[in-house]
Amino acid sequence: MPKTDEQLFVPKADSRLRIYAYSIDDEPHAGQLKVGQTTQDAKTRVAQQLKTAAIENFTIELVEFADREDGSTFSDFAVRGRLTEKGFANPTLEWMTCSVEDVKTAITELRTGVTFSGTHHLDFRMRAEQRAAVDKTYNYFQSRWIEDSDAVPEFLWNAKMRFGKTFTAYQLARRLEAKRILVVTFKPAVEDAWRTDLESHVDFDRWQYLSRASGGDPESADPEHPLVYFGSFQDLLGRDAAGNFKARHRWLSELGWDLVVFDEYHFGAWRDTAKELFEGEDETATKKETELEFGGALETFAEELEVLGSVEDAFVPVRAGAYLYLSGTPFKALATGRFIEEQIFNWTYTDEQRAKAEFTEQHPGERNPYAGLPEMRLLTYQMPEELTAIAAQGEFDEFDLNAFFEAKDVGVDAEFVHKDDVQKWLDIIRGSYAPTQVDALKAGQRPPFPYSDSRLLPYLQHSIWMLPRTASCAAMANLLAEKQNVFWHDYSVVNVSAPDVGVGLDALPPVRAAIGNGHDTKTITLTVGKLTTGVTVKQWSSILMLRNLKAPETYFQAAFRVQSPWTIANPNGDDPNAEEILKPVCFVFDFAPTRALRQIAEYGAGLSPEMRNPEKAVEELVKFLPVLAYDGSHMTQVDAGGILDIAMAGTSATLLARKWESAILVNVDNETLRKIMDSPAAMNAVMNIEGFRALGSSVFETVVNKSEAVRDTKKNKGDELTQTEKRELTAEEKEYKSKRKQIQEKLIKFATRIPAFMYLTDFRENTLQDVITKLEPELFKTVTGLTVEDFNLLVSLNVFNAAHMNQAVFAFRRYEDASLAYTGIESNGGRRNVGLYDTVVAVD
């Protein structure tokens, strides 16, 4: 009999075998997992098993496909058998005494046919940006080695937190086939991440991990398998009584290292950040916090690298094949021009949020790996004149938060100097201050004050308030507790800057205790600087900036505390791959608008140092970090041009002049000085700069030779230096430091003449470089003393930092245009191009 159509065209089965594991929250099943298999939905299958027992307190911990790349499958029996072989107990039927990671490891072994040591079970691949970082770095290293087989190339990853730098650095080492990897950091606390990534991913099976904490001798490691040694600068270096670094780890120089990784490479920014963050703490707490966070040896170390232009391997005496530098805020490293564009991979907040938006668009319905990373919002508020008048300072009468929140006394006696005004401010931010309510009625809309707008209140359930001094924190805690402030009594106020609270991570327990699970509590954490670096409190969704922070690195390092993801994995207990996002956005509230927008402008430019148009850099940032400004009557979103206008309007001719007196405009490190020495034309050019003839051309050779000789002596002799040798080294150090400083001062003095030239020339639509080289070369020589050719030569040798000159010119031009427009003069004939040093910016 012929077959029917149904028999001929049998539907293809759409089933796929899955391994699942679930736990039951009761004493008999403590520490155990039920490991089974199904082609159904895991939740359906588990419900079928447990419905007769009426058990509801179960959680599905794992669901993994049970197929291999060749199409074959493995069973739950095989998974349990593999676990038994590895020594895990099988107390009854399908129940195993093991962890979820152990089950994942067994599944991965059955899927790949490879036996892994430890719990190597993760097999995820690199994200696109991680692959891009590895590819760019690998290609750069290879190109340098093709040019010079003895070269020791350097590369910088400018990557914000949660990029996955440890995992990606290991993947680079794997791509390089490196056998010896040295990881050095300023922050010993990051060791856990380096060790966990190595011991959990299948790509690093058989790799060896050693550190001071783990023990073990690097010299006795198996040479057939890669070795990673993790150490902190504080541990590896140390200092003797004379302040010299000890050569205490001889094996460092005896082993050859294929790759040396410097983690958290922003020591200079850290040192400045430490000083700024903790300057409002009491002296003892400041010292402890700074030493705990940054290490006691870093003052000398930072001085050597920043002032003397030395490099890291002068302090870690190793034979390295290549160096990789990792940082989330490498602004100072970028500013020095040490790394050129082809030596830098950037992954910034803007890149992260762009990737998040693009993934949603390109992969609808799929789990977005960036989904849990909140998008930031900056809301700035112009305070009423009656409040700003008491704390105005500077040429433009900017609202000084430090003066406004000034306090006296300590503990329960602490009180704000302007207590009545701070009380008004508390009323304003919760929308109950009568004058602002009247203004809102007139305007026909209520402004979104933080603690009054229903859209913002959920994000203020747990917030952090940064205040200028410890007395201010105590005064705020006292004021919030007073009888008239009933609204604030619903919030648990934790003052982590109080003297009885520990430093570093020891300040975290009272915050965690107050927050609990984060759902049933409301908290306000008061701090000067504690807990604003290196900690994660996922429930924090907003930060109130109530103190002046000058450096954008410091400002955004604190602000990014509230950008930590807050998600619930497996929210319904039936899908371990599901995720519920509790914090899609986060907020920064600032009450000094001009200063806040200046931070945005500087941070935007800092994120994209290679972008020649500062306005475009800021525009790219505010796509994903919207800025809303309340001007006293309306809340409006501010675009990049508006941010720059406000930031520049809030500056002064004096501040602009300081941009041309900055040391970052010139480079006086040994490498740059050697370039000058190697070029007779460059040496002649420098000698034409005012003051250099008095120093003499030999000054460059003196600085380079003596600094390198001192460095090599310390490196080679270490503890073996005699007292006489130490005194001689100290004298030599003083000499070359003084001479290097003189070179720097002479070059800066030359740079300060460029604004004078800009005042004298009428050309604005061209780049400054074009004006110099094509239009008014004689005027340039008259004003500066250098010919155009001489100046271009020195710029090409990186004696002058063109990127920072561009930014200084941009600020100068924008400020000058605003000043002329105020008087009714339209500069540049109405054209909207601004000439920088070596590029033209279209303003419109």
Side-chain angles (χ1 to χ4, degrees):
M1 178 182 292
K3 293 184 181 293
T4 65
D5 285 351
E6 287 76 10
Q7 293 172 317
L8 287 171
F9 303 105
V10 179
K12 183 177 181 295
D14 194 28
S15 299
R16 190 174 180 184
L17 187 64
R18 296 171 175 83
I19 302 294
Y20 64 87
Y22 68 85
S23 61
I24 295 178
D25 187 14
D26 61 14
E27 190 172 338
H29 297 94
Q32 298 181 21
L33 292 172
K34 166 72 179 296
V35 180
Q37 69 181 48
T38 183
T39 56
Q40 305 178 71
D41 173 74
K43 183 179 181 181
T44 302
R45 177 64 184 129
V46 174
Q48 291 171 351
Q49 293 181 23
L50 298 178
K51 64 181 180 180
T52 54
I55 296 174
E56 297 181 354
N57 58 336
F58 70 91
T59 300
I60 298 177
E61 306 283 359
L62 173 148
V63 178
E64 295 269 358
F65 290 118
D67 43 28
R68 304 181 179 92
E69 288 189 2
D70 63 2
S72 62
T73 60
F74 51 89
S75 66
D76 60 340
F77 179 82
V79 175
R80 294 192 297 275
R82 183 72 197 105
L83 287 168
T84 303
E85 289 173 12
K86 292 167 77 75
F88 296 102
N90 179 201
T92 177
L93 300 175
E94 297 175 337
W95 288 89
M96 301 296 304
T97 303
C98 64
S99 69
V100 175
E101 286 71 24
D102 297 323
V103 179
K104 287 181 178 179
T105 302
I107 290 173
T108 304
E109 289 178 340
L110 291 169
R111 181 181 290 132
T112 61
V114 177
T115 300
F116 297 111
S117 58
T119 57
H120 290 85
H121 62 279
L122 300 176
D123 59 356
F124 59 84
R125 297 180 179 179
M126 287 186 284
R127 299 192 304 270
E129 67 272 13
Q130 294 171 330
R131 286 196 303 274
V134 170
D135 289 345
K136 185 173 182 179
T137 311
Y138 177 83
N139 292 336
Y140 175 75
F141 285 172
Q142 294 299 325
S143 69
R144 289 288 291 115
W145 288 326
I146 289 172
E147 293 174 3
D148 178 4
S149 59
D150 294 326
V152 182
E154 300 178 332
F155 204 94
L156 170 67
W157 287 357
N158 168 23
K160 77 178 291 290
M161 53 187 175
R162 291 178 291 276
F163 168 72
K165 60 186 177 182
T166 57
F167 170 70
T168 313
Y170 284 146
Q171 291 291 357
L172 173 64
R174 185 166 172 255
R175 178 86 175 272
L176 292 169
E177 298 182 354
K179 292 294 187 181
R180 295 290 181 268
I181 302 100
L182 175 64
V183 179
V184 188
T185 183
F186 290 101
K187 298 195 74 172
V190 302
E191 177 175 358
D192 183 62
W194 285 98
R195 183 168 188 169
T196 300
D197 279 8
L198 192 76
E199 295 181 346
S200 61
H201 199 281
V202 298
D203 285 350
F204 315 124
D205 185 44
R206 309 295 175 187
W207 285 41
Q208 305 161 92
Y209 180 90
L210 295 175
S211 70
R212 183 179 181 181
S214 71
D217 181 6
E219 294 180 283
S220 62
D222 183 352
E224 295 301 314
H225 298 288
L227 164 70
V228 175
Y229 189 89
F230 176 93
S232 68
F233 276 102
Q234 296 90 314
D235 173 40
L236 295 180
L237 303 179
R239 287 193 292 176
D240 61 21
N244 299 313
F245 289 113
K246 296 179 179 178
R248 53 192 270 186
H249 291 278
R250 298 286 181 191
W251 53 266
L252 274 173
S253 56
E254 292 169 0
L255 280 178
W257 300 93
D258 301 310
L259 180 65
V260 176
V261 181
F262 286 101
D263 191 15
E264 301 293 352
Y265 172 72
H266 44 268
F267 53 86
W270 273 23
R271 186 177 58 160
D272 296 342
T273 296
K275 290 177 179 177
E276 186 174 8
L277 274 181
F278 304 120
E279 65 184 2
E281 305 275 9
D282 66 81
E283 189 173 338
T284 303
T286 299
K287 186 176 180 182
K288 286 182 179 178
E289 191 85 38
T290 306
E291 287 186 359
L292 182 66
E293 185 72 14
F294 309 106
L298 292 193
E299 277 298 313
T300 300
F301 184 79
E303 179 187 334
E304 292 286 339
L305 270 82
E306 292 181 355
V307 179
L308 307 186
S310 302
V311 292
E312 282 75 359
D313 58 322
F315 300 96
V316 183
V318 298
R319 291 181 289 118
Y323 287 96
L324 175 65
Y325 300 86
L326 309 176
S327 177
T329 52
F331 295 159
K332 284 183 178 284
L334 296 171
T336 62
R338 173 176 176 180
F339 300 94
I340 60 177
E341 187 174 343
E342 61 182 304
Q343 289 175 275
I344 303 170
F345 175 80
N346 294 302
W347 183 255
T348 66
Y349 167 79
T350 304
D351 296 319
E352 168 197 279
Q353 293 297 319
R354 188 192 302 111
K356 177 180 171 181
E358 289 175 352
F359 191 96
T360 300
E361 183 179 326
Q362 296 169 7
H363 305 278
E366 293 185 31
R367 181 183 177 275
N368 189 331
Y370 312 97
L373 300 168
E375 185 172 287
M376 297 184 74
R377 309 272 190 268
L378 172 62
L379 275 64
T380 70
Y381 297 86
Q382 181 66 50
M383 289 292 95
E385 187 175 347
E386 62 178 294
L387 299 189
T388 58
I390 66 163
Q393 54 88 33
E395 182 178 346
F396 289 87
D397 291 332
E398 291 184 15
F399 184 40
D400 183 357
L401 291 167
N402 289 5
F404 185 77
F405 289 105
E406 183 183 356
K408 56 188 178 181
D409 296 330
V410 294
V412 295
D413 297 321
E415 188 174 73
F416 287 112
V417 172
H418 308 291
K419 182 177 178 180
D420 290 344
D421 297 289
V422 176
Q423 178 65 64
K424 290 175 185 176
W425 175 82
L426 284 174
D427 294 337
I428 287 172
I429 65 171
R430 71 181 186 91
S432 64
Y433 184 57
T436 56
Q437 287 181 316
V438 171
D439 291 341
L441 288 172
K442 290 178 181 178
Q445 60 180 11
R446 291 172 60 96
F449 286 116
Y451 285 88
S452 67
D453 191 284
S454 60
R455 297 164 297 178
L456 295 177
L457 274 171
Y459 293 95
L460 286 142
Q461 186 173 353
H462 302 288
S463 63
I464 179 170
W465 295 14
M466 282 193 78
L467 287 144
R469 304 196 67 81
T470 52
S472 308
C473 291
M476 183 63 78
N478 295 339
L479 183 57
L480 291 173
E482 289 188 5
K483 291 181 179 179
Q484 74 276 10
N485 287 316
V486 177
F487 172 86
W488 301 102
H489 295 175
D490 288 343
Y491 292 83
S492 296
V493 178
V494 183
N495 177 11
V496 296
S497 288
D500 57 338
V501 176
V503 298
L505 293 177
D506 290 339
L508 200 52
V511 176
R512 294 224 185 276
I515 291 176
N517 60 24
H519 298 284
D520 307 320
T521 56
K522 294 197 290 186
T523 66
I524 294 170
T525 301
L526 305 176
T527 184
V528 174
K530 288 181 184 178
L531 302 185
T532 57
T533 65
V535 299
T536 298
V537 179
K538 58 188 178 183
Q539 295 92 342
W540 280 343
S541 303
S542 58
I543 182 168
L544 275 66
M545 294 294 193
L546 309 180
R547 60 171 295 193
N548 293 339
L549 289 171
K550 302 179 185 70
E553 298 99 320
T554 317
Y555 187 93
F556 282 96
Q557 184 168 275
F560 276 125
R561 287 311 98 203
V562 301
Q563 210 235 341
S564 299
W566 186 13
T567 62
I568 299 176
N570 195 5
N572 299 316
D574 56 6
D575 183 359
N577 299 312
E579 179 182 62
E580 184 173 345
I581 298 168
L582 301 179
K583 193 168 69 176
V585 297
C586 57
F587 291 88
V588 179
F589 299 102
D590 202 304
F591 301 88
T594 302
R595 190 227 43 202
L597 297 186
R598 191 181 299 128
Q599 299 280 20
I600 282 279
E602 293 183 18
Y603 186 67
L607 285 179
S608 305
E610 77 290 346
M611 193 173 288
R612 291 179 169 180
N613 184 338
E615 186 168 343
K616 290 292 184 185
V618 175
E619 182 180 302
E620 184 73 5
L621 173 61
V622 297
K623 281 182 185 176
F624 304 106
L625 203 168
V627 177
L628 290 87
Y630 173 67
D631 62 5
S633 59
H634 297 91
M635 178 69 82
T636 55
Q637 191 164 340
V638 189
D639 62 14
I643 288 171
L644 287 166
D645 285 338
I646 295 170
M648 295 304 166
T651 190
S652 67
T654 302
L655 291 176
L656 283 175
R658 286 180 187 166
K659 282 183 176 287
W660 291 97
E661 298 170 357
S662 171
I664 65 174
L665 290 178
V666 301
N667 296 313
V668 292
D669 55 278
N670 283 2
E671 183 179 355
T672 303
L673 298 185
R674 191 175 284 108
K675 288 178 182 177
I676 296 173
M677 292 161 53
D678 293 342
S679 169
M683 183 63 76
N684 289 334
V686 170
M687 287 297 108
N688 287 327
I689 295 175
E690 181 183 343
F692 269 101
R693 291 207 178 275
L695 285 179
S697 59
S698 62
V699 68
F700 300 96
E701 190 172 356
T702 300
V703 169
V704 172
N705 291 344
K706 289 199 173 184
S707 63
E708 291 183 349
V710 169
R711 180 196 68 191
D712 292 342
T713 301
K714 286 185 176 182
K715 177 178 176 179
N716 296 328
K717 289 198 171 184
D719 292 337
E720 298 171 8
L721 284 167
T722 66
Q723 289 300 319
T724 301
E725 287 173 325
K726 289 175 182 177
R727 283 195 297 272
E728 291 173 354
L729 286 179
T730 301
E732 300 243 331
E733 281 182 317
K734 287 181 179 178
E735 181 185 357
Y736 74 72
K737 285 181 181 181
S738 172
K739 291 187 181 300
R740 194 189 298 270
K741 189 71 174 174
Q742 289 175 345
I743 294 171
Q744 185 182 65
E745 289 171 351
K746 296 292 186 291
L747 291 173
I748 292 172
K749 187 175 181 180
F750 168 83
T752 60
R753 295 192 172 184
I754 293 179
F757 175 74
M758 292 164 61
Y759 269 121
L760 292 172
T761 182
D762 291 327
F763 295 99
R764 305 174 69 81
E765 69 275 25
N766 301 90
T767 67
L768 180 59
Q769 187 178 42
D770 281 344
V771 173
I772 294 168
T773 58
K774 299 174 183 176
L775 303 173
E776 301 194 37
E778 292 304 318
L779 177 59
F780 181 76
K781 184 176 181 180
T782 300
V783 173
T784 66
L786 276 190
T787 66
V788 167
E789 292 75 16
D790 288 344
F791 182 59
N792 283 337
L793 174 61
L794 295 179
V795 170
S796 72
L797 296 179
N798 204 34
V799 176
F800 297 105
N801 191 316
H804 283 277
M805 283 193 168
N806 267 347
Q807 292 185 17
V809 174
F810 184 79
F812 179 93
R813 289 298 195 205
R814 198 162 193 121
Y815 179 80
E816 187 181 33
D817 286 348
S819 301
L820 292 172
Y822 182 75
T823 62
I825 301 172
E826 188 174 30
S827 65
N828 206 28
R831 285 165 290 189
R832 296 290 290 162
N833 288 337
V834 174
L836 306 187
Y837 165 66
D838 59 1
T839 188
V840 173
V841 172
V843 178
D844 50 5

